[in-house]
Amino acid sequence: MEFNSINPYNDQVVGQHTAQTESEVATVLKKAGDAFKSWKNVPIATRASLMEKAGNVLRDNIEEYARMITLEMGKPIEESRSEINKCAWVCDYYATHAAQFLKDETIETDAQKSLVKHEPIGCVLAIMPWNFPFWQVFRFAAPTLMAGNTGLLKHAPNVFGCAKQIEEVFIQAGFPSGVFQNLIVHHDQTENIIAHETIKAVTLTGSERAGAAVAEMAGRHIKKSLLELGGNNAFIVWEDADIDQAVKTAVGARMLNAGQSCIAAKRFILVESIYDEFVSKFTTAVQNLKSGDPVDEQTEVGPLARKDLADQLQAQVQKSIQSGAQLLLGGDQKNCYHAPTILGGVKPGMPAFDEETFGPLAAMIKVKDAKEAFKLSEQSKYGLGVTVFTRNVEKALSMSDQVSDGAYFINQLVKSDPRLPFGGTKHSGYGRELAKDGIMEFINRKTIYVG
């Protein structure tokens, strides 16, 4: 089987990749298992040195890697560079902090000595998406490898070029053979790989449907899973907010990566007294964004990664309009490109409110007050993150328990940061990545007791 990487802007083939045979996959799995036997005993200072080198390889080759991201999935080139820099940051972060996170914990009991040791579990399979093709992988790989585990990457087929480059990063950094490997396989091989004795856990970032399927497979084989799935984040603006700053932040929160982000702001829940001003200024700001070839340094909004994604977004737009939403801007689609679109008067029951919209669509929702805003924010099957814009930070802090999401940001867009745990609730998944939490997900916390 051949996989083609297609540039969504011009439909040109970026690369061709041949699927691995069953015997080749078996060889990769054996290699990962064998590598773990020695990698788990490598001193953490040595692992840290290699991870630091991986960060340097990323920085040294930033133009090459950023260009591959842009060509394969259409991200504007400047955003692609930012993605590579963030990957280098997460490498540096775990190189610096992993030893502290993993140190033994002495616990006072009636024993002569009792403690908890942190030991790696083996090979972890990562099933990753196309929207942040480097970042999603490094967010998993940096803590997982620093913990002494080995990693296998099953990437999205449209970004197999990025997947090969990621594997090369670890090779160039000097990681031992087999510690991190890339698989070029169709998704129908996923369960056989999960079932293999080498695989001890699986982490997936992707759609709700994919997450449910993989969790079921992992559960069937009694293996741990971590899921980072979709989101329908609310961006709440109170009447006392700095509207200009809120609009500036909101444009980035919705339009970054052409809106193809699980943590993007999707539902803009606005107190009625500032609704018209916010919508007017937001519309003007979005109109001023430059769309075009993502390789162009001036481009701010590129195409969506595939035509079926643009088709799906267009269907959500049209169904919402048919249900009473007002088209305030955009609404057009041509092949993979979907114009930045704003819908006003969005209400529950419309796709723009109920569903995850994975593209440059902003839904404007009017409410009476903060209480109603939180009520509507919670009216979602997802629970990834919420933003609240207000000058009354203390009031916003006091109301954080009104939100069940995994993140609550005040006067800032929801974003991932290596120093903070990241993950969702409800249908947004379970488990946490990044910070100390991320490295602990694939660790055996072993109790040691001396009587």
Side-chain angles (χ1 to χ4, degrees), residues 176-364:
S177 178
V179 169
F180 184 93
Q181 297 175 88
N182 174 41
L183 288 166
I184 303 176
V185 295
H186 192 266
H187 64 78
D188 62 7
Q189 293 189 53
T190 301
E191 181 160 11
N192 287 337
I193 295 169
I194 291 173
H196 196 278
E197 62 180 1
T198 295
I199 301 299
K200 304 306 180 188
V202 57
T203 177
L204 176 140
T205 299
S207 70
E208 182 183 347
R209 184 176 66 177
V214 166
E216 183 180 1
M217 294 173 194
R220 194 178 302 134
H221 299 285
I222 321 298
K223 297 183 180 183
K224 182 172 184 177
S225 59
L226 184 154
L227 303 180
E228 199 281 282
L229 309 178
N232 196 5
N233 287 10
F235 190 105
I236 298 170
V237 184
W238 291 354
E239 64 275 5
D240 67 340
D242 180 334
I243 300 301
D244 290 337
Q245 187 59 44
V247 166
K248 182 180 178 181
T249 303
V251 172
R254 175 67 279 201
M255 298 299 164
L256 182 75
N257 199 25
Q260 299 169 111
S261 172
C262 56
I263 55 171
K266 299 178 175 84
R267 296 176 297 153
F268 293 84
I269 303 178
L270 315 169
V271 172
E272 58 187 1
S273 61
I274 55 89
Y275 180 90
D276 290 340
E277 180 186 1
F278 181 93
V279 171
S280 175
K281 290 182 175 180
F282 183 88
T283 302
T284 298
V286 172
Q287 281 177 316
N288 290 333
L289 294 175
K290 183 180 184 331
S291 297
D293 187 343
V295 173
D296 186 335
E297 298 284 350
Q298 304 304 313
T299 295
E300 296 167 290
V301 180
L304 300 194
R306 300 190 311 262
K307 184 177 182 297
D308 63 294
L309 300 167
D311 291 341
Q312 180 179 344
L313 184 67
Q314 179 64 197
Q316 291 172 311
V317 169
Q318 295 305 321
K319 288 178 183 176
S320 297
I321 292 171
Q322 291 165 15
S323 299
Q326 303 138 13
L327 180 62
L328 304 179
L329 182 71
D332 301 323
Q333 176 208 354
K334 183 178 180 181
N335 298 323
C336 294
Y337 176 75
H338 197 292
T341 299
I342 302 172
L343 296 179
V346 172
K347 293 179 168 50
M350 299 177 183
F353 185 98
D354 296 340
E355 300 173 8
E356 180 176 32
T357 53
F358 222 63
L361 166 62
M364 301 294 163

Side-chain angles (χ1 to χ4, degrees), residues 8-19:
Y9 179 73
N10 57 25
D11 209 33
Q12 293 181 358
V13 175
V14 178
Q16 292 182 313
H17 309 277
T18 302

Side-chain angles (χ1 to χ4, degrees), residues 105 107 116-119 436 440 443-447:
E105 296 176 18
I107 298 172
V116 176
K117 292 181 70 68
H118 299 113
E119 298 178 352
K436 182 177 180 179
M440 289 297 167
I443 281 291
N444 174 21
R445 283 175 52 82
K446 180 182 287 183
T447 296

Side-chain angles (χ1 to χ4, degrees), residues 363-426:
M364 301 294 163
I365 301 151
K366 186 185 295 186
V367 294
K368 292 180 180 178
D369 53 27
K371 183 178 179 180
E372 186 183 0
F374 282 127
K375 181 181 177 182
L376 283 186
S377 171
E378 282 291 287
Q379 196 169 324
S380 172
K381 65 179 179 178
Y382 298 107
L384 205 47
V386 169
T387 287
V388 174
F389 250 87
T390 176
R391 287 187 171 91
N392 193 339
V393 172
E394 288 305 314
K395 180 181 177 183
L397 285 169
S398 72
M399 298 182 77
S400 64
D401 61 355
Q402 303 295 305
V403 171
S404 62
D405 293 52
Y408 183 80
F409 279 57
I410 301 170
N411 296 331
Q412 182 57 275
L413 55 86
V414 176
K415 57 187 177 180
S416 57
D417 183 317
R419 299 163 294 188
L420 296 168
F422 177 81
T425 60
K426 300 189 282 188

Side-chain angles (χ1 to χ4, degrees), residues 70-134:
T70 295
L71 292 179
E72 286 201 310
M73 56 74 57
K75 192 190 304 284
I77 189 66
E78 187 55 36
E79 292 182 20
S80 296
R81 293 189 188 106
S82 295
E83 181 172 339
I84 300 301
N85 279 323
K86 192 169 184 178
C87 294
W89 178 21
V90 82
C91 290
D92 293 346
Y93 176 80
Y94 282 104
T96 301
H97 296 286
Q100 176 69 21
F101 293 154
L102 296 172
K103 72 178 184 178
D104 295 349
E105 296 176 18
T106 299
I107 298 172
E108 293 298 325
T109 67
D110 57 353
Q112 290 185 45
K113 185 176 185 180
S114 50
L115 65 139
V116 176
K117 292 181 70 68
H118 299 113
E119 298 178 352
I121 60 173
C123 182
V124 182
L125 172 66
I127 301 171
M128 291 292 144
W130 47 263
N131 58 332
F132 290 89
F134 268 71

